[in-house]
C-alpha cells in the first residue's frame, strides 16, 4: 500500500500534476490557491520543469496556450476573479483544440468578492468558460485524495479529446489537509506523441498550424460541428458521479465538492431520523451525470440540490429530472458555509414533497421558504 | 473523559496568528492519521499574516468526514481571550475546553463542560520551551482526552517538524511530556 | 570557331537561366491578403529569407497576431501558431519554454504589440525571453479599417481621430524601442524601415541579428519596422513612403536603441 501523506488540497493538485508528467506551470498569485503556485515554484526546477509567474492571468493562460501548442502537458491555476481573466485564453484553446488543465479554487463573487470557499463559478465553468460555442470538461473533487486522483484523469481526457479540462475546487478543499495516497509518477516520455503539435517540423512533415480563425462561415461551422461530435462522445463516455444511500432514497440530494461533504453528513443524520435520504455527488460537472440522475428517478419522490451559491447547478438537475419530481434548492453564498443541520432542515422540507428555493434571502427576511 | 477518546472527535484550536495554532492542529491531525483514523485539518485563512486571529478545525473520525469545518467542537483549545470568547459557547455539552491561562485569564460560567486552564505560555517560558505553549496544550489535551498516545505524538512531531529544524524535535517532545503532566491551575476554582 | 561561339552562347543562356530570385523556402505559395504597396509583404519576406539563410525552418515556430498579419500562419512554411490579440509574446513564451532549442518569433502590429498587448510585451522583454519580435509600426489599425493606433502621430487623422489625434484627450504616441531599451532583459532593440533597397538590406541585417541573438541565448530582441499603410492612409504606395519619411521618421528615428553585444564591445 502507498504510504499516505498529509497534504493541503492545493499541494495535492500540484504534486499530482507533476506525477502526471506536467512540467510546465504558468500562474499568478491569488488567494486561496496560492499554495499550489508556491509548491510548483519549489518543485518544478528540481523536476526539470518550468514554473513561471506571469504578469497577469491573461498572460498566464496564453503561455499555457503556447506550451500546449508545443505539445507539453501544462497547467495553470487561479481562483474565481483570475479565472474570469483566463476566459479569453480558454476560448482560444477550445477553438484551437488545445488540451491543458486549468484549476479554479473558487472563492466568493462577483467582483473581488471574498476569499472564503464558494461554488459560484459553476455557470462560468460549465456554460461559458470563454466566448463562443464550446465547452471544457469540468471535474469537481470533494476530498484531497480525489484532488490528487482527478489531475491525472484531467490530463488524460484533455489529451484524448483535445479539449481544455477544468478542475473546479473551492477554498475549503484547497486549504484543508487530509491524508492522501499519491498516484505513481508516470514517465512523460511514454506519452503518445502529439502529431499536431507546433514543435518544429524538422523537415520531416509539412507545417503544423495551431489556429482558431476561420473567416469562411461554412468552415467555422464545420469545425464547431466536428468538435461538438467529440462533445457528444464525452457526454456518452465520461460522466462520473458517486452515489451514497440512493438505492431506496426518496429524497435525493445532489451536491458536489465541499457542499457534497456537508450534504453527506446531513443525509446520515436524516437516515437517523427515519428519512430515506440519499446523495448523488457529480464528479464531472460537464458532462453533467444525467445518467446517474436517471437511475434514481423511479424511487425518488423529490430532489434537493445543495450548493455554496444562490443556485446554479440546480438548473442542470432540473433539466435532468425534467419535471418528473420537484427539485428544490438550499444554499449559502459569499463564503458562508452551510452546516449539516441547516441541510437537514431542508431535507425535512423536501421530504414533504414541496419544491422550494431556500436561500439566505428567504431565511433571513421571512424566516423560512416562500 | 475516558482513557480513549470517542470518535468522532471534533477539535477547534484558536488564538493569535503566530502562536502556532495551525502547527498544533497539524500535530493532532498527524497523530490521528498515524493511529489509523480518518482525519481532516482546515485552517481559517484571511488577509492578515501575523497578529490576527487564527483558528483551525481538526476532525478525527472512524468514518468518512463530512464537513471539515468544526462548528460544535468536542474539544476547544483557546490561546487568547478573543478566541475563548468567540468559541466557548459553541462547545458541545460535555465537551473539553483547554485554555492558555496566561493569555486568556477568564473563567467559564458553563457548568456543562470540562474546563482545564493551564498557564501554558508562562510554563513554557520558564522551562526553556519559549514559543511551544501550543505544543504544551496538545500534551494537555492528550492527558485529558486520551485521543492518541505519547508515542504516536512523537512520530507526529517527526513528520511535522521541517528537516531544517531537527533540533526542534526534542524540544517539541519535551513540551508534549510537560504539557501532559501539568495539573489544572486553581485560577478558576472558587 | 562557330562551335566555340555556340558554346559561349550556350554558356550565356545557362547563366541567364540561373535562378537569381525566387520565393524563399520559408514562405508557402499562398497568396497573401496584404494590400498592394503594403510594407508587410516586404518584411514578411525578409523574415523568410533570414530563416532560409540560417537554415532553421525545421526548428522555427512563428506566432502571428491579430491584425493584418493574422493569417501569416498560412504564409510561412515553418510551424505556426495564431495568438489572441496582443498575446503573442505570452504564447511565444510558452512555446519557447517548452522548446528551448527551437527558434520562436512573434510577428506583431502596433495595436497588437503596443496597445492591447503592451503588458505581455514589456514583461516578455524584461524577462529576457529568448524570442525575436518583428514589430510593424504603421501608426494605424489596418485590419479593422484605419482606426487610431497607440503609435498614431499627434494630429494624425484616422477613423477614430477624425479631427486629428488630440494629445489632450488621446495622449501621445508610444516609442516602443526607446521604452524597451531601458529593460535589462532586452538584447536588441532596433528601428528600421523598408522604403529603399538600402534600408531593406539594413532591415534584413537587423532581423537576422535578432534571430542570431536568440540562437545565442542573449535575450529578447525586437526589430521595429516603420511601415506604411497606403490603403488606410489614403496614399499611393510611393506617396505613403514619402509621408512616412516626412512625418513618422522624425518621431520614430531609425537606429539601434539597445544592442548588448555592441555595448560589451563584441561587435
Amino acid at each position: 500500500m502507498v504510504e499516505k501523506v498529509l497534504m493541503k488540497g492545493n499541494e495535492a493538485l500540484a504534486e499530482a500534476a507533476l506525477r502526471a508528467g506536467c512540467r510546465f506551470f504558468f500562474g499568478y498569485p491569488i488567494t486561496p490557491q496560492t499554495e499550489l503556485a508556491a509548491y510548483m515554484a519549489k518543485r518544478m526546477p528540481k523536476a526539470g520543469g518550468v514554473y513561471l509567474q506571469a504578469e497577469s492571468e491573461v498572460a498566464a493562460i496564453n503561455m499555457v496556450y503556447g506550451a500546449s501548442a508545443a505539445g507539453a502537458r501544462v497547467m495553470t491555476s487561479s481562483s474565481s476573479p483570475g479565472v474570469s481573466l483566463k476566459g479569453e485564453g480558454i476560448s482560444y484553446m477550445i477553438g484551437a483544440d488545445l488540451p491543458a488543465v486549468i484549476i479554479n479554487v473558487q472563492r466568493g463573487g462577483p467582483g473581488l468578492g471574498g476569499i472564503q470557499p464558494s461554488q459560484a463559478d459553476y455557470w462560468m465553468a460549465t456554460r461559458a468558460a470563454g466566448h463562443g460555442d464550446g465547452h471544457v470538461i469540468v471535474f469537481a473533487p470533494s476530498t484531497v485524495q480525489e484532488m490528487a486522483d482527478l489531475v491525472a484523469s484531467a490530463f488524460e481526457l484533455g489529451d484524448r479529446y483535445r479539449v481544455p479540462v477544468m478542475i473546479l475546487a473551492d477554498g475549503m478543499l484547497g486549504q484543508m489537509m487530509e491524508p492522501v495516497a499519491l498516484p505513481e509518477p508516470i514517465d512523460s516520455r511514454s506519452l503518445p506523441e502529439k502529431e499536431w503539435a507546433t514543435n518544429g517540423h524538422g523537415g520531416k512533415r509539412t507545417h503544423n498550424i495551431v489556429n482558431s480563425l476561420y473567416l469562411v462561415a461554412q468552415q467555422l461551422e464545420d469545425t464547431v460541428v466536428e468538435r461538438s461530435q467529440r462533445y457528444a462522445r464525452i457526454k456518452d463516455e465520461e460522466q462520473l458521479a458517486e452515489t451514497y444511500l440512493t438505492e431506496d432514497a426518496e429524497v435525493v440530494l445532489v451536491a458536489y465538492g465541499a457542499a457534497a461533504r456537508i450534504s453527506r453528513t446531513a443525509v446520515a443524520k436524516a437516515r437517523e431520523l427515519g428519512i430515506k435520504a440519499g446523495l448523488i455527488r457529480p464528479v464531472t460537472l460537464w458532462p453533467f451525470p444525467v445518467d446517474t440522475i436517471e437511475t434514481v428517478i423511479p424511487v425518488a419522490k423529490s430532489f434537493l440540490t445543495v450548493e455554496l451559491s444562490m443556485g446554479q447547478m440546480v438548473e442542470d438537475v432540473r433539466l435532468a429530472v425534467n419535471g418528473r419530481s420537484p427539485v428544490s434548492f438550499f444554499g449559502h453564498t459569499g463564503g458562508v458555509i452551510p452546516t449539516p443541520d441547516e441541510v437537514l432542515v431542508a431535507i425535512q422540507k423536501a421530504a414533504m414533497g414541496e419544491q422550494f428555493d431556500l436561500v439566505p434571502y428567504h431565511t433571513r427576511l421571512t424566516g423560512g421558504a416562500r | 473523559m475516558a482513557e480513549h477518546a470517542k470518535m468522532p472527535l471534533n477539535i477547534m484550536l484558536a488564538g493569535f496568528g503566530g502562536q502556532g495554532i495551525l502547527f498544533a492542529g497539524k500535530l493532532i491531525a498527524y497523530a490521528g492519521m498515524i493511529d489509523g483514523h480518518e482525519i481532516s485539518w482546515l485552517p481559517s485563512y484571511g488577509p492578515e499574516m501575523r497578529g490576527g486571529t487564527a483558528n483551525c478545525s481538526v476532525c478525527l473520525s472512524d468514518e468518512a468526514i463530512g464537513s471539515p469545518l468544526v462548528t460544535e467542537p468536542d474539544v476547544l483549545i483557546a490561546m487568547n481571550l478573543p478566541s475563548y470568547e468567540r468559541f466557548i459557547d459553541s462547545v458541545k455539552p460535555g465537551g473539553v475546553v483547554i485554555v492558555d491561562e496566561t493569555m486568556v485569564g477568564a473563567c467559564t460560567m458553563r457548568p456543562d463542560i470540562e474546563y482545564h486552564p493551564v498557564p501554558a505560555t508562562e510554563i513554557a517560558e520558564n522551562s526553556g520551551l519559549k514559543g511551544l505553549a501550543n505544543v504544551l496544550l496538545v500534551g494537555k489535551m492528550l492527558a485529558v482526552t486520551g485521543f492518541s498516545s505519547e508515542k504516536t505524538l512523537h512520530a507526529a512531531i517527526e513528520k511535522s517538524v521541517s528537516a531544517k529544524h531537527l533540533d526542534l524535535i526534542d524540544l517539541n517532545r519535551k513540551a508534549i511530556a510537560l504539557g501532559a503532566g501539568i495539573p489544572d491551575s486553581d485560577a478558576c476554582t472558587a | 570557331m562557330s562551335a566555340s561561339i555556340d558554346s559561349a552562347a550556350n554558356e550565356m543562356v545557362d547563366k541567364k537561366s540561373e535562378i537569381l530570385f525566387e520565393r524563399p523556402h520559408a514562405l508557402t505559395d499562398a497568396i497573401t491578403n496584404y494590400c498592394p504597396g503594403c510594407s508587410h509583404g516586404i518584411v514578411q519576406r525578409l523574415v523568410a529569407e533570414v530563416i532560409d539563410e540560417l537554415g532553421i525552418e525545421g526548428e522555427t515556430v512563428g506566432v502571428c497576431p491579430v491584425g493584418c498579419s493574422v493569417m501569416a500562419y498560412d504564409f510561412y512554411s515553418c510551424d505556426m501558431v495564431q495568438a489572441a490579440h496582443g498575446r503573442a509574446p505570452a504564447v511565444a513564451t510558452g512555446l519557447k519554454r517548452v522548446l528551448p532549442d527551437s527558434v520562436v518569433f512573434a510577428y506583431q502590429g502596433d495595436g497588437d504589440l503596443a496597445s492591447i498587448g503592451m503588458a505581455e510585451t514589456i514583461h516578455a522583454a524584461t524577462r529576457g525571453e529568448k524570442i525575436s519580435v518583428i514589430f510593424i509600426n504603421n501608426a494605424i489599425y489596418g485590419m479593422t479599417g484605419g482606426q487610431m493606433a497607440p503609435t498614431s502621430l499627434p494630429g494624425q487623422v484616422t477613423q477614430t481621430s477624425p479631427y486629428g489625434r488630440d494629445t489632450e484627450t488621446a495622449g501621445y504616441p508610444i516609442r516602443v524601442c526607446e521604452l524597451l531599451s531601458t529593460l535589462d532583459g532586452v538584447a536588441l532593440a532596433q528601428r528600421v524601415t523598408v522604403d529603399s533597397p538600402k534600408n531593406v538590406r539594413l532591415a534584413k541585417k537587423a532581423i537576422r541579428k535578432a534571430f542570431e541573438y536568440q540562437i545565442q541565448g542573449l535575450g529578447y530582441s525586437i526589430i521595429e519596422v516603420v511601415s506604411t499603410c497606403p490603403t488606410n492612409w489614403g496614399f499611393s504606395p510611393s506617396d505613403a513612403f514619402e509621408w512616412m519619411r516626412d512625418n513618422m521618421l522624425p518621431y520614430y528615428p531609425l537606429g539601434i536603441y539597445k544592442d548588448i553585444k555592441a555595448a560589451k564591445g563584441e561587435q
Side-chain angles (χ1 to χ4, degrees):
Chain A
M1 207 183 98
V2 187
E3 201 200 338
K4 288 193 172 182
V5 288
L6 198 55
M7 275 186 131
K8 279 193 169 194
N10 284 336
E11 295 167 342
L13 288 168
E15 180 59 35
L18 283 157
R19 287 167 184 247
C22 171
R23 288 294 177 275
F24 299 91
F25 179 90
F26 304 93
Y28 186 85
I30 183 169
T31 306
Q33 68 77 51
T34 304
E35 292 83 2
L36 201 170
Y39 193 95
M40 287 297 200
K42 202 169 176 182
R43 288 276 283 111
M44 268 302 186
K46 290 178 182 164
V50 170
Y51 165 85
L52 201 164
Q53 183 166 316
E55 59 271 28
S56 68
E57 304 288 2
V58 177
I61 192 71
N62 282 286
M63 290 171 187
V64 169
Y65 179 97
S68 178
R73 282 197 163 179
V74 54
M75 177 190 263
T76 185
S77 75
S78 189
S79 179
S80 310
V83 179
S84 288
L85 280 173
K86 289 188 196 293
E88 175 194 70
I90 294 171
S91 172
Y92 275 71
M93 293 181 75
I94 293 170
D97 297 317
L98 291 178
V101 175
I102 300 140
I103 309 287
N104 182 357
V105 183
Q106 295 171 93
R107 55 188 259 183
L112 198 50
I115 58 171
Q116 299 302 322
S118 165
Q119 297 180 325
D121 298 347
Y122 182 90
W123 282 334
M124 178 163 73
T126 61
R127 298 294 192 277
H131 62 276
D133 250 346
H135 282 289
V136 298
I137 294 175
V138 185
F139 282 113
S142 83
T143 63
V144 175
Q145 181 66 56
E146 207 173 28
M147 288 168 104
D149 294 341
L150 289 177
V151 169
S153 310
F155 277 111
E156 273 169 39
L157 291 196
D159 284 352
R160 189 184 313 157
Y161 294 102
R162 289 187 64 183
V163 292
V165 183
M166 184 177 285
I167 294 182
L168 195 65
D170 61 66
M172 180 189 275
L173 294 167
Q175 293 294 322
M176 69 186 284
M177 287 203 291
E178 283 185 314
V180 53
L182 290 162
E184 280 298 305
I186 63 153
D187 182 355
S188 50
R189 284 166 302 184
S190 68
L191 294 170
E193 201 182 325
K194 294 171 179 170
E195 286 164 5
W196 46 263
T198 51
N199 52 1
H201 62 58
K204 293 181 188 122
R205 54 167 170 78
T206 55
H207 69 160
N208 281 341
I209 295 172
V210 166
N211 172 43
S212 63
L213 176 70
Y214 298 88
L215 288 175
V216 178
Q218 190 57 56
Q219 281 180 5
L220 180 55
E221 184 182 69
D222 291 348
T223 308
V224 173
V225 166
E226 183 280 321
R227 195 173 300 117
S228 295
Q229 286 164 346
R230 261 182 284 150
Y231 291 158
R233 250 169 51 223
I234 292 170
K235 285 181 185 172
D236 279 350
E237 293 168 24
E238 308 300 347
Q239 292 177 30
L240 272 183
E242 184 189 67
T243 56
Y244 173 61
L245 305 178
T246 49
E247 296 78 12
D248 62 343
E250 293 175 356
V251 181
V252 175
L253 278 72
V254 185
Y256 71 95
R261 301 180 66 116
I262 299 156
S263 299
R264 189 184 163 107
T265 304
V267 164
K269 287 189 175 199
R271 287 273 170 175
E272 283 170 18
L273 298 179
I275 301 171
K276 286 184 179 172
L279 169 69
I280 292 177
R281 180 175 71 82
V283 176
T284 52
L285 301 180
W286 197 94
F288 191 70
V290 288
D291 296 350
T292 307
I293 301 272
E294 204 58 40
T295 61
V296 304
I297 291 278
V299 179
K301 291 186 177 150
S302 69
F303 288 80
L304 172 66
T305 306
V306 181
E307 299 175 54
L308 310 187
S309 78
M310 291 295 278
Q312 300 190 8
M313 182 178 72
V314 64
E315 293 189 353
D316 277 338
V317 180
R318 284 183 177 142
L319 282 170
V321 173
N322 201 14
R324 288 173 287 179
S325 291
V327 178
S328 297
F329 174 77
F330 170 70
H332 272 294
T333 193
V336 178
I337 310 290
T339 65
D341 286 341
E342 283 179 292
V343 178
L344 181 59
V345 170
I347 293 174
Q348 287 168 319
K349 278 179 72 67
M352 291 190 283
E354 55 179 311
Q355 179 162 318
F356 56 88
D357 286 323
L358 194 58
V359 292
Y361 174 83
H362 293 109
T363 49
R364 231 173 263 160
L365 296 185
T366 66
R370 61 175 181 234
Chain B
M1 264 198 162
E3 276 286 291
H4 295 285
K6 266 193 205 158
M7 295 290 137
L9 192 66
N10 294 324
I11 305 140
M12 169 62 70
L13 302 100
F16 289 125
Q19 278 183 308
I21 290 294
L22 303 186
F23 182 83
K26 211 166 148 181
L27 280 186
I28 297 167
Y30 258 121
M33 186 177 101
I34 295 165
D35 287 337
H37 301 301
E38 298 285 332
I39 65 107
S40 69
W41 174 97
L42 178 73
S44 62
Y45 59 94
E48 67 278 298
M49 293 300 290
R50 289 284 180 275
T53 57
N55 69 70
C56 172
S57 295
V58 179
C59 302
L60 309 180
S61 178
D62 288 331
E63 283 165 41
I65 293 164
S67 176
L69 181 66
V70 172
T71 49
E72 294 177 335
D74 300 299
V75 179
L76 169 66
I77 295 181
M79 291 191 71
N80 66 9
L81 187 58
S83 301
Y84 166 82
E85 285 173 342
R86 181 170 164 200
F87 293 109
I88 186 69
D89 290 338
S90 67
V91 177
K92 262 191 201 154
V96 169
V97 176
I98 300 167
V99 300
D100 185 341
E101 172 66 28
T102 319
M103 306 301 290
V104 173
C107 297
T108 182
M109 302 299 284
R110 283 185 63 173
D112 60 338
I113 54 171
E114 277 187 41
Y115 195 69
H116 300 280
V118 258
T121 297
E122 193 188 322
I123 293 176
E125 284 186 14
N126 294 339
S127 317
L129 298 170
K130 194 167 189 281
L132 291 177
N134 58 336
V135 182
L136 240 72
L137 292 171
V138 173
K140 179 70 181 176
M141 179 184 154
L142 175 68
V144 172
T145 67
F147 81 95
S148 183
S149 67
E150 205 160 318
K151 189 177 161 226
T152 301
L153 271 166
H154 284 181
I157 287 166
E158 279 170 33
K159 283 188 179 287
S160 310
V161 174
S162 117
K164 280 184 229 155
H165 303 288
L166 289 178
D167 53 316
L168 289 179
I169 290 181
D170 261 1
L171 294 177
N172 275 279
R173 284 179 175 174
K174 276 182 195 155
I176 291 284
L178 186 60
I182 308 177
D184 294 356
S185 87
D186 54 8
C188 291
T189 43
Chain C
M1 190 69 192
S2 68
S4 66
I5 288 170
D6 279 348
S7 136
N10 278 342
E11 248 172 49
M12 279 176 75
V13 169
D14 278 344
K15 267 190 184 156
K16 269 188 187 157
S17 64
E18 192 182 327
I19 297 169
L20 296 174
F21 190 82
E22 64 179 335
R23 177 167 49 79
H25 192 270
L27 282 184
T28 66
D29 59 3
I31 294 167
T32 76
N33 54 307
Y34 305 128
C35 304
C38 166
S39 308
H40 268 301
I42 302 171
V43 180
Q44 186 170 286
R45 185 191 162 90
L46 294 181
V47 173
E49 285 179 1
V50 166
I51 292 172
D52 278 9
E53 285 172 20
L54 295 173
I56 53 173
E57 185 190 308
E59 296 84 61
T60 298
V61 185
V63 183
C64 49
V66 172
C68 287
S69 50
V70 64
M71 293 178 74
Y73 52 80
D74 273 339
F75 308 149
Y76 284 106
S77 311
C78 58
D79 280 358
M80 291 296 292
V81 179
Q82 202 289 315
H85 198 18
R87 317 296 174 226
V91 173
T93 297
L95 284 160
K96 184 71 182 189
R97 294 299 181 110
V98 175
L99 308 166
D101 299 328
S102 294
V103 178
V104 177
F105 75 92
Y107 189 103
Q108 301 181 261
D110 41 44
D112 194 81
L113 181 142
S115 191
I116 196 167
M118 189 53 121
E120 285 77 8
T121 291
I122 288 196
H123 284 273
T126 201
R127 282 195 305 270
E129 287 302 335
K130 294 165 188 69
I131 59 173
S132 309
V133 176
I134 313 302
F135 168 37
I136 305 296
N137 176 8
N138 58 10
I140 206 151
Y141 280 78
M143 187 180 69
T144 45
Q147 294 82 26
M148 186 181 74
T151 51
S152 290
L153 298 175
Q156 187 178 337
V157 174
T158 72
Q159 199 184 66
T160 51
S161 55
Y163 312 110
R165 181 176 186 157
D166 178 359
T167 54
E168 269 302 306
T169 57
Y172 296 87
I174 297 174
R175 294 183 180 94
V176 171
C177 275
E178 288 86 333
L179 185 69
L180 295 184
S181 66
T182 66
L183 301 175
D184 291 343
V186 175
L188 177 67
Q190 183 171 352
R191 185 179 290 126
V192 298
T193 187
V194 289
D195 65 333
S196 67
K198 177 174 163 256
N199 279 336
V200 168
R201 276 196 297 275
L202 274 172
K204 182 174 169 184
K205 212 174 138 193
I207 292 168
R208 184 179 168 121
K209 198 198 268 185
F211 275 77
E212 285 170 344
Y213 277 25
Q214 176 182 172
I215 292 164
Q216 291 160 23
L218 298 178
Y220 171 99
S221 300
I222 180 167
I223 304 302
E224 173 177 347
V225 187
V226 183
S227 302
T228 57
C229 181
T231 301
N232 286 303
W233 289 0
F235 295 129
S236 72
S238 60
D239 287 351
F241 274 125
E242 196 65 39
W243 189 87
M244 182 199 82
R245 278 189 290 268
D246 292 346
N247 298 279
M248 286 187 73
L249 294 188
Y251 207 96
Y252 300 111
L254 304 181
I256 296 173
Y257 288 86
K258 182 159 186 199
D259 182 338
I260 56 168
K261 267 195 160 179
K264 287 181 190 161
E266 286 177 35
Q267 285 229 290

